[in-house]
Amino acid sequence: PGSVGWEGGAMSKRFQQGVDPDAASIFNRGEELQRLDSQRQTVNIVIIVLAIAGMVLGILENELLWHNRNIPVLSFQLIKLLNSMLTIILFYYVLRYYSIEFELLEVSGKTVMGAPYLQAFVLSGLLWPFITEACIILVHPLPFVNYIVHIWGLDTYCAYSSDAFATVFMLLRLYYYTPRIIAEVSGLKNEKTRLIGLMNNVDLSYHFILKAMLRDSLLTLLFLFVVSVITMSYAMIVFERPVGPDTNLDLFENSVWLIIITMTTVGYGDTYPKTPSGRYVAIFAALLAVVLVALAVGAVTDRLTLTRDESKVLEFIDNIRNKQERKVAAARMLQNGWRAYVKEREMYEKKHGFPPPEQDRPQNRILNQPRYYKAALDYAQMRGESVNGISTDVALTVTENAVSIKRINTNLEDLDKKLAEMHNMIKTAVLGGASTKSTRW
């Protein structure tokens, strides 16, 4: 009976009735989590496929209805009927998905023990996500229901079919299920990562995974941008084409152009929406662009930030380059100094007929030469601005260390000698004083 107790809803009854811990210990918690997570992943994929298929059917029916001048025919009703059947199946799998999520919480020990099933489900925090998802998936063009919605505003009159508004609302499915798509593709949503999250008190939800992927993957950010452009471009077409020949947003490429220009905050003004609903879509695109641009800046900044090891390597390379530049500057200073020395010596010999005396050597006047003075300043400035960090001259470092060690050893030897001398002086003084006192006594 134990092997049956964890199956389906019987598991919650098992907790309600109370079970001997020793009897319950025969179940492997890890295997149960793995089984439930495998079911959750399968159901989640089915939900995503059904949601996208229903959205595609809604768009297909709406386009056929528009090109038929909003006059419904039987074939359109059959498409809507098929969409309704998909929605019912989708709703069943959503119920199944939240049932599995509740079982996962039960196995993880994160539900209220001994409470009725419905009360435990409400207290688990899954009720409001279930209601939100149900409201999103249940909205679709209903079969044999079609009426015209009249909207006035901005000196325009627009007549929309009820299926047009339902189809635009169905686009929310893509936004809602995008975190799930990213989570399933990334592979971060499984029983192992769930256990790691439980040990660290972190809920590995879809939004957590989406946040992690947006930080680590630019492709995820690009995917969100493409999804946003496509969905809002189609919504712009639906809301703008009833205006008639006064707009050019009845073409998909023009709508894509407008949405991209709006999201990039360029705004040429050559194309703009003329209906209130179209302007609402443009406002939503502008607000969404603020979030996407902020995410893009953060992602690019993280990738351009150097790690500690990369910074050290770059500092090492800079030191090598600066060392070569200092060698060139030092050589230039020596060249200019030697030329100034030779020039001053020749001028003195030419003027006096004999070499300059010791107290009037040319090296005392070469500092007055402009070229040498400038070369010396450049070399001094370059040494002052040199990068302090990793030593790039191994031979020089070894030599400096050897000299320092030799100097330290010499100082230690001198210190030992002084200590020995002081010890002898103290010993002599103590012994001499003792012998004097004993003699007197």
Side-chain angles (χ1 to χ4, degrees), residues 2 8 15 31 39 46 66 96 103 111 121 150 199 213-214 216 233 253 263 302 341 366 370 376 384 390 397 418 435:
F15 280 102
E31 292 180 358
Q39 292 182 4
V46 173
W66 167 257
R96 178 62 182 154
E103 291 182 33
T111 57
F121 183 83
H150 305 276
M199 289 188 293
M213 293 302 297
L214 287 175
D216 298 334
S233 297
E253 53 270 22
M263 294 184 70
D302 289 339
Y341 173 81
I366 60 175
I390 306 173
T397 303
K418 291 181 179 180
S435 59

Side-chain angles (χ1 to χ4, degrees), residues 59 63 66-67 171 174 225-238 240-241 247-261 271:
I59 294 174
E63 291 301 308
W66 167 257
H67 288 90
L171 297 177
L174 202 55
F225 180 78
V226 172
V227 168
S228 301
V229 170
I230 292 176
T231 54
M232 286 187 289
S233 297
Y234 181 73
M236 184 67 71
I237 290 176
V238 172
E240 286 294 315
R241 61 188 175 187
T247 182
N248 58 355
L249 292 175
D250 54 343
L251 299 176
F252 185 74
E253 53 270 22
N254 291 336
S255 296
V256 171
W257 165 259
L258 174 63
I259 294 300
I260 292 178
I261 293 302
T271 303

Side-chain angles (χ1 to χ4, degrees), residues 75-129:
S75 59
F76 302 165
Q77 303 300 332
L78 292 177
I79 295 176
K80 291 199 292 184
L81 186 61
L82 178 60
N83 199 353
S84 298
M85 294 175 60
L86 288 178
T87 302
I88 294 173
I89 299 174
L90 175 61
F91 183 73
Y92 165 76
Y93 276 98
V94 169
L95 287 173
R96 178 62 182 154
Y97 172 81
Y98 281 95
S99 175
I100 296 174
E101 283 286 346
F102 182 71
E103 291 182 33
L104 283 169
L105 292 178
E106 279 188 323
V107 176
S108 302
K110 301 182 70 174
T111 57
V112 179
M113 304 295 294
Y117 185 86
L118 182 59
Q119 182 180 0
F121 183 83
V122 173
L123 295 176
S124 66
L126 295 175
L127 179 62
W128 287 112

Side-chain angles (χ1 to χ4, degrees), residues 151-198:
I151 295 180
W152 289 268
L154 301 176
D155 299 328
T156 59
Y157 163 75
C158 299
Y160 302 100
S161 66
S162 57
D163 291 353
F165 280 96
T167 303
V168 171
F169 190 87
M170 289 182 71
L171 297 177
L172 292 178
R173 295 184 179 186
L174 202 55
Y175 286 97
Y176 187 82
Y177 289 113
T178 293
R180 293 193 186 182
I181 297 173
I182 295 174
E184 296 300 338
V185 173
S186 65
L188 296 177
K189 188 77 171 178
N190 53 57
E191 77 285 351
K192 295 181 180 179
T193 57
R194 184 187 292 270
L195 288 176
I196 294 174
L198 287 174

